[in-house]
């Protein structure tokens, strides 16, 4: 990365706020000379961190914001009543061109609603979608929508495929990424009318469409991009997270169940550490709100500094690769 990249950080966002967002931002500044940050939030809470950072503060601008969007705020209330919130101002900076992207760990509904209100959508895109990377046996896949749209038309699913293809090509460096459509079966006759119509549209396009993907095949990396509506995507995501927690719980129980189990746990510790690293959710933090006419990255609300750094990293890549312009161009090529 050579060209300077400016990212607006919603510093008040997340479960912890500035104690995570600001140190994470400063760590990214140390690692990336081209990065510039606009930290949006209460100045008196942010500046103590900058005073300790030395020369790094030369690449940081603090934009004071007195209001905060809380996790339980309704999206409509956040838009109407909190126009001076750190979230709103960070998104405004993207709209104004003062920042290339916004990163927030705040209320997902409010972030999407505010982003759509301020930035609008890319021409040709009906609805934005939430897109994130997920671990598989053979690498990382990206899935969308993960909860923004509980119901979608075939056209919207097609649009998700276009956007997902662009983002994965840039973030993962995969030429002509494979696009799959989540369905209840791999056969062409399976699924409802909407899914089958979307499959035809994807198949007739220039995308590298590989067909239907069943839920149990997600972990096999049979596609680089998996497309679905937000209802099914969110259910699939939460099911995978729950299964991971269940397996972890079972392992801990077995290792603690007897002296033999405890000894086996000691022997297996290096393998377990390696496994934990491979599935560490912090490595996959940073969901793109694709389809907005501006780059907005959603970090998990409970993210620690390492996880928030990953969200900033995703934002930097999308700005550096000019993902928005590529989505616009590909939509035009597809005749939309």
């Amino acid at each position: 990365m050579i060209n300077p990249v400016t990212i607006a950080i919603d510093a008040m966002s997340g479960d912890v706020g500035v104690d995570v967002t600001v140190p994470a931002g400063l760590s990214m500044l140390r690692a990336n000379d081209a990065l510039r940050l606009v930290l949006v939030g209460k100045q008196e809470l942010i500046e103590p961190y900058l005073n300790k950072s030395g020369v790094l503060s030369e690449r940081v601008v603090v934009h004071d914001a007195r209001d905060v969007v809380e996790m339980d705020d309704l999206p409509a209330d956040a838009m109407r009543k909190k126009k001076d919130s750190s979230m709103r101002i960070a998104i405004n900076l993207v709209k104004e061109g003062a920042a290339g992207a916004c990163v927030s760990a705040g209320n997902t509904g409010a972030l999407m609603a505010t982003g759509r209100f301020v930035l609008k959508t890319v021409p040709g895109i009906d609805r934005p979608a939430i897109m994130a990377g997920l671990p598989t046996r053979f690498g990382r896949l990206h899935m969308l929508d993960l909860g923004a749209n509980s119901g979608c038309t075939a056209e919207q699913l097609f649009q998700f495929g276009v956007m997902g293809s662009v983002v994965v090509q840039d973030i993962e460096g995969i030429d002509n990424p494979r696009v799959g459509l989540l369905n209840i079966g791999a056969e062409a006759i399976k699924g409802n009318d909407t899914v089958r119509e979307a499959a035809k549209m994807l198949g007739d396009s220039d995308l590298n469409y590989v067909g239907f993907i069943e839920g149990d095949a997600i972990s096999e990396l049979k596609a680089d991009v998996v497309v679905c509506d937000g209802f099914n995507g969110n259910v699939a995501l939460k099911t995978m997270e729950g299964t991971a927690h269940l397996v972890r719980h079972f392992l801990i129980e077995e290792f603690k169940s007897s002296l033999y189990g405890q000894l086996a746990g000691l022997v297996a510790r290096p393998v377990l550490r390696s496994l934990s690293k491979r599935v560490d959710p912090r490595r996959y933090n940073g969901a793109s709100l694709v389809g907005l006419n501006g780059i907005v990255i959603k970090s998990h609300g409970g993210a620690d500094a390492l996880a928030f750094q990953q969200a900033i990293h995703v934002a930097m890549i999308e700005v550096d690769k000019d993902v928005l312009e590529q989505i616009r161009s590909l939509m035009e090529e597809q005749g939309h």
Side-chain angles (χ1 to χ4, degrees):
M1 186 176 297
I2 300 174
N3 297 323
V5 172
T6 300
I7 307 295
I9 304 293
D10 177 6
M12 307 304 296
S13 64
D15 296 345
V16 182
V18 296
D19 291 337
V20 163
T21 58
V22 178
L26 294 175
S27 293
M28 291 300 289
L29 284 174
R30 292 186 187 95
N32 301 274
D33 292 339
L35 179 62
R36 307 289 185 271
L37 294 180
V38 181
L39 299 176
V40 186
K42 296 180 180 179
Q43 191 167 357
E44 68 274 15
L45 298 180
I46 296 172
E47 285 190 338
Y49 289 97
L50 301 185
N51 293 336
K52 301 174 186 176
S53 68
V55 295
L56 289 178
S57 61
E58 297 175 2
R59 291 190 277 141
V60 178
V61 173
V62 179
H63 196 305
D64 189 52
R66 308 314 300 173
D67 214 344
V68 178
V69 174
E70 304 294 346
M71 287 298 191
D72 57 354
D73 282 345
L74 294 174
D77 289 342
M79 285 195 300
R80 288 198 305 263
K81 300 177 182 178
K82 296 191 173 182
K83 297 179 181 179
D84 295 320
S85 68
S86 55
M87 178 186 289
R88 178 66 171 268
I89 292 173
I91 294 174
N92 285 345
L93 290 171
V94 176
K95 172 71 173 179
E96 296 161 4
C102 159
V103 180
S104 175
N107 180 321
T108 304
L111 186 65
M112 177 63 86
T114 303
R116 191 169 184 180
F117 177 76
V118 173
L119 301 172
K120 311 306 184 219
T121 57
V122 172
I125 298 296
D126 294 338
R127 296 181 183 179
I130 299 173
M131 177 177 178
L134 303 172
T136 75
R137 285 180 60 196
F138 306 106
R140 185 196 313 248
L141 69 72
H142 290 255
M143 192 168 177
L144 74 165
D145 178 23
L146 294 177
N149 307 283
S150 59
C152 296
T153 65
E155 169 66 24
Q156 288 159 359
L157 292 174
F158 170 77
Q159 293 171 9
F160 294 170
V162 172
M163 295 189 293
S165 182
V166 170
V167 174
V168 167
Q169 182 169 322
D170 288 334
I171 290 182
E172 302 295 343
I174 299 173
D175 291 330
N176 202 23
R178 299 164 299 164
V179 178
L181 192 58
L182 188 65
N183 198 4
I184 59 173
E187 300 84 1
I189 61 171
K190 292 292 183 71
N192 56 33
D193 292 342
T194 299
V195 170
R196 291 199 300 272
E197 184 182 350
K200 184 178 186 308
M201 295 176 69
L202 289 165
D204 291 342
S205 73
D206 294 329
L207 299 177
N208 185 12
Y209 178 61
V210 295
F212 292 137
I213 301 292
E214 294 184 81
D216 62 351
I218 292 174
S219 62
E220 299 296 319
L221 197 60
K222 293 185 176 180
D224 304 299
V225 181
V226 175
V227 173
C228 56
D229 63 47
F231 182 91
N232 288 303
N234 194 267
V235 169
L237 175 65
K238 297 297 173 59
T239 300
M240 286 186 279
E241 290 175 346
T243 301
H245 289 310
L246 180 64
V247 171
R248 180 177 182 275
H249 176 74
F250 283 165
L251 283 171
I252 292 173
E253 274 192 343
E254 292 300 321
F255 284 136
K256 290 183 175 180
S257 63
S258 64
L259 178 59
Y260 177 78
Q262 293 174 30
L263 292 173
L266 289 173
V267 173
R269 184 172 293 176
V271 175
L272 293 173
R273 281 204 192 101
S274 177
L275 173 62
S276 179
K277 184 177 180 180
R278 287 181 67 181
V279 299
D280 186 349
R282 297 178 299 177
R283 298 177 61 214
Y284 301 91
N285 189 44
S288 303
L289 304 192
V290 292
L292 293 176
N293 201 23
I295 297 172
V296 177
I297 304 299
K298 170 68 173 75
S299 167
H300 194 286
D304 62 9
L306 181 62
F308 200 80
Q309 288 176 48
Q310 175 61 25
I312 297 173
H313 177 68
V314 172
M316 291 173 62
I317 293 175
E318 292 199 14
V319 174
D320 185 59
K321 299 292 186 179
D322 202 2
V323 165
L324 272 181
E325 185 54 40
Q326 291 190 56
I327 290 175
R328 293 188 192 106
S329 297
L330 192 52
M331 287 300 295
E332 290 177 3
E333 290 175 13
Q334 301 298 330
H336 289 260

